[in-house]
């Protein structure tokens, strides 16, 4: 007599860019990273340093995370990793997620969409925590950069109850690309976006400024940023390559990052730290102040907390 076979485990979800675009909402992504940031503050997110494996002309980089469920007192609910290569900046990334209790692989997400949307969600959480509330009319936002990272920042903020932009001024090095970018923002996100002729025009008059470029030299001047402004920087921030002027650090009332430890891995080469950097999770938890006054300039340095991509991929499997 043939013994009954053991029940087969469900097959893991295999998701590509099309599925990420269709299934992942800004609300899902921002809720996932907010939970991860708070758990990181409380010790419920294990996020060890990146692992770099040399591959001749480039590297294969791994980031790992184990995340507890809300109220689980540190017991991991999911764990996984992200892997990406550095030889080709446009290459695909892979995120794998396991259920920690059963050890079952639940999802594999590959492509180019999940990473920027995760970063966009972190940026949206930072804006909500640090920027002045826009009120019923919303806020004016200036964006320098017309790539996937800039797009994802607006995508995540488009669903914000407190900081949905009422107007977006977009500047890019190529005017025609900025025009196409603004048109896409209007059509797909329903935000009133327009291309402007200069970085200064994008910054001046904006309550929120987002800088998302690959520029190794500053794309704005410190005195363009007026009291009360919140600024997020996503691009280069080393002492030799930086997209924002160092003077902004001196003008900021608080400098916040999603991971002081990751920022600290730059050593003395980090433009903004590591010593003065405040953890975004601590601001969210209310244990460390963020904005203290209406005229404060707040600065968010995005480094991409390890483990947040696993958190977003896990949330995506439940969407």
């Amino acid at each position: 007599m043939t013994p009954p076979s053991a029940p087969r485990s469900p097959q893991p979800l295999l998701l590509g860019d099309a599925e990420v675009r269709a299934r992942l909402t800004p609300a899902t992504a921002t809720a996932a990273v907010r939970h991860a940031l708070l758990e990181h503050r409380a010790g419920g997110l294990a996020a060890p340093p990146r692992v770099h494996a040399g591959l001749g002309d480039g590297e294969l980089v791994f980031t790992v995370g184990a995340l507890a469920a809300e109220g689980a007192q540190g017991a991991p609910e999911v764990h996984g990793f992200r892997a990406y290569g550095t030889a080709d900046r446009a290459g695909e990334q892979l995120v794998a997620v396991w259920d920690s209790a059963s050890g079952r692989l639940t999802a594999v997400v590959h492509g180019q969409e999940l990473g920027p949307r995760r970063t966009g969600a972190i940026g949206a959480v930072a804006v909500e925590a640090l920027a002045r509330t826009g009120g019923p009319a919303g806020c004016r936002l200036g964006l320098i950069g017309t790539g996937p990272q800039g797009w994802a920042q607006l995508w995540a903020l488009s669903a914000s109850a407190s900081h949905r932009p009422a107007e977006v001024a977009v500047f890019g090095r190529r005017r025609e690309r900025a025009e196409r970018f603004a048109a896409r923002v209007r059509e797909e996100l329903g935000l009133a976006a327009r291309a402007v002729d200069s970085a200064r025009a994008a910054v001046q008059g904006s309550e929120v400024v987002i800088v998302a470029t690959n520029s190794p030299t500053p794309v704005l001047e410190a005195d363009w940023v007026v009291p009360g402004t919140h600024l997020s920087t996503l691009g280069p921030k080393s002492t030799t390559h930086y997209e924002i002027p160092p003077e902004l650090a001196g003008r900021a009332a608080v400098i916040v990052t999603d991971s002081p430890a990751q920022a600290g891995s730059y050593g003395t080469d980090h433009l903004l730290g590591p010593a003065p950097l405040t953890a975004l999770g601590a601001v969210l938890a209310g244990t460390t102040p963020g904005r203290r006054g209406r005229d404060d300039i707040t600065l968010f340095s995005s480094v991409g907390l390890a483990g947040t991509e696993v958190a977003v991929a896990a949330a995506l499997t439940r969407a």
Side-chain angles (χ1 to χ4, degrees):
M1 181 176 180
T2 303
S5 59
R8 297 181 62 184
S9 298
Q11 292 297 306
L13 289 173
L14 180 62
L15 305 173
D17 284 343
E19 289 81 11
V20 172
R21 286 191 292 267
R23 296 170 60 137
L24 185 63
T25 66
T28 296
T30 53
V33 300
R34 184 179 289 107
H35 171 58
L37 287 160
L38 286 167
E39 285 298 326
H40 187 240
R41 174 65 179 172
L45 172 66
R50 286 177 171 88
V51 176
H52 298 257
L55 296 174
D57 291 339
E59 294 179 316
L60 190 60
V61 183
F62 294 86
T63 62
V64 180
L67 179 65
E70 189 170 352
Q73 298 182 342
E77 178 185 33
V78 295
H79 63 271
F81 69 86
R82 174 182 60 150
Y84 60 93
T86 62
D88 181 4
R89 294 182 63 89
E92 290 193 344
Q93 299 186 5
L94 182 145
V95 179
V97 183
W98 282 264
D99 175 80
S100 297
S102 66
R104 184 174 68 85
L105 180 67
T106 58
V108 175
V109 185
H110 64 94
Q112 299 174 327
E113 288 287 343
L114 184 67
R117 290 174 191 255
R118 178 283 309 249
T119 305
I122 294 173
V125 171
V127 169
E128 291 176 342
L130 297 167
R132 298 189 301 195
T133 303
C139 66
R140 185 178 187 272
L141 186 147
L143 173 64
I144 302 175
T146 56
Q149 293 291 353
W151 167 263
Q153 297 287 311
L154 297 182
W155 168 80
L157 279 170
S158 68
S160 173
S162 59
H163 290 83
R164 176 181 167 87
E167 179 185 355
V168 180
V170 180
F171 174 72
R173 288 179 299 170
R174 294 187 289 275
R175 173 73 188 212
E176 64 278 6
R177 182 169 179 174
E179 293 280 9
R180 291 196 300 270
F181 184 96
R184 183 187 174 200
V185 170
R186 293 193 298 269
E187 180 179 349
E188 296 186 23
L189 302 181
L191 301 177
R194 60 187 177 87
V196 295
D197 293 327
S198 67
R200 185 168 189 164
V203 172
Q204 291 189 323
S206 295
E207 290 91 1
V208 175
V209 176
I210 297 174
V211 189
T213 76
N214 290 321
S215 177
T217 58
V219 295
L220 73 158
E221 296 183 15
D223 60 5
W224 297 351
V225 180
V226 300
T229 303
H230 169 75
L231 186 144
S232 292
T233 173
L234 281 76
K237 293 177 284 289
S238 74
T239 54
T240 56
H241 295 78
Y242 42 90
E243 66 175 1
I244 64 170
E247 294 82 4
L248 268 177
R251 296 191 61 207
V254 62
I255 305 174
V256 178
T257 185
D258 40 335
S259 176
Q262 283 179 219
S265 67
Y266 284 73
T268 58
D269 193 41
H270 195 282
L271 182 71
L272 302 175
L277 300 185
T278 296
L280 179 56
V283 176
L284 295 174
T287 58
T288 302
R291 174 176 293 276
R292 296 172 184 262
R294 185 166 179 81
D295 289 336
D296 282 354
I297 292 175
T298 55
L299 178 57
F300 177 65
S301 171
S302 179
V303 295
L305 172 63
T308 48
E309 60 280 331
V310 173
V312 174
L316 179 58
T317 66
R318 299 188 289 265

